[in-house]
Amino acid sequence: MSLARGMRSYLLGLGLAALLTTASFWTATTHVIYGPAIPVAIVVLALAQMGIHLVFFLHITTAPDNTNNVLALAFGILIACLVIFGSLWIMANLNHNMMAAHMASQAL
Amino acid sequence: MNTVALHPQGATDSAGPASRRIIVGYGFWLFLLSDIIMFSAFFATYAVLSGATDGGPTAAQLFDSRNVAVETACLLASSFACGMASLAVGERNQLWTQIALLATGVLGAAFLALEIKEFESLVARGAGPTRSGFLSAFFTLVGCHGLHITAGLLWLGTMMAQFLAKGFRETIRHRFLCFSLFWHALDIIWIAIFSLVYLNGTRV
């Protein structure tokens, strides 16, 4: 990779990441956006920024010499999702089942 | 490796053994992914316990989003400086390599100092890790990231010394490739932390 191309790629990555970070912090403090949509917006912005970092800083691309890295990343994401959403699901279920009878009737 | 023996007909398919650089990067990438999976367990713990404040202070009362913004800027700039160092290493330029690595280190240390200050002020306000399940999970998750940064700073100092003492030989460049992957991956984990812990927590 030539120096100029490398520099352009890092600068582009920095610019996009800074833009998304600013948008994220703005979203969290603004009252312009419909309230319940804000957490979703923050998560989407975070995922987009992670993608930017992966492509421009970690150089995870679709190039042929990168196939193994992409496959490993896909597997890592699968496991991370299983751990996070599996834990949340199980704990929410447990919470529900542990609720005392009078609280359960209140919750209904 | 004797490639002639592997391809007796002189076949010129491109699927020969990958270069050492690709293999080293792949191996370290696997380590980073397992590290990220460990972090995902901490994130799950935090998500489950984030409401368990036991009558104590909540995220919205404790966190200062201005401080988090400065920390985020430090870490992003540090990541960028690390990218500049990779370019300088590619050019075999000792001066710029050292300058970029120094900038990476100073920005990383600034991040760490802000985080330690935040932890101190939390403990001083009686919101230490023993106060509630929420705070235990918070200190575990964010503290673990801080420990990674500390280890990264030690590694960074080692890399600067090795580039100075040994020059740009192949083994050192591969070591630096691993360091830069590590440093950028820590920034990715920080994105998840500032989004899920701080921004979602301080929103009122």
Side-chain angles (χ1 to χ4, degrees), chain A residues 1-3 6-7 10-11 13-14 17-18 20-21 24-25 27-29 31 35-36 38-40 42-43 45-47 49-50 53-54 57-58 60 65 68-70 72-77 79-81 83-85 87-88 91, chain B residues 22 25-27 29-30 32-33 36-37 39-45 47-48 65-66 68-70 72-73 76-77 79-80 82-84 86-88 91 180-182 184-185 187-189 191-192 194-196 199-200 202-204:
Chain A
M1 186 163 51
S2 78
L3 182 63
M7 189 67 123
Y10 277 114
L11 279 173
L14 178 71
L20 287 166
T21 304
S24 219
F25 276 84
T27 308
T29 49
H31 296 285
I38 290 178
V40 182
I42 289 177
V43 169
L45 285 167
L47 289 177
Q49 201 184 334
M50 286 174 184
H53 278 246
L54 282 174
F57 291 165
L58 283 140
I60 302 295
D65 63 354
N68 287 329
N69 291 344
V70 174
L73 174 65
F75 184 65
I77 292 173
I79 302 294
C81 286
V83 168
I84 292 174
F85 295 112
S87 301
L88 284 176
M91 294 310 287
Chain B
I22 301 268
Y26 180 57
W29 181 230
L30 289 184
L32 283 177
L33 285 168
I36 286 173
I37 287 167
F39 266 103
S40 76
F42 286 137
F43 274 108
T45 311
V48 167
S65 71
R66 188 175 300 270
V68 181
V70 178
T72 306
L76 180 60
S79 223
F80 178 72
C82 183
M84 293 300 99
S86 323
L87 291 180
E91 295 292 310
S180 67
L181 287 173
F182 181 72
H184 294 313
D187 204 14
I188 292 188
I189 291 168
I191 296 172
F194 85 69
S195 299
L196 300 179
L199 292 186
N200 262 334
T202 50
R203 213 168 40 78
V204 279

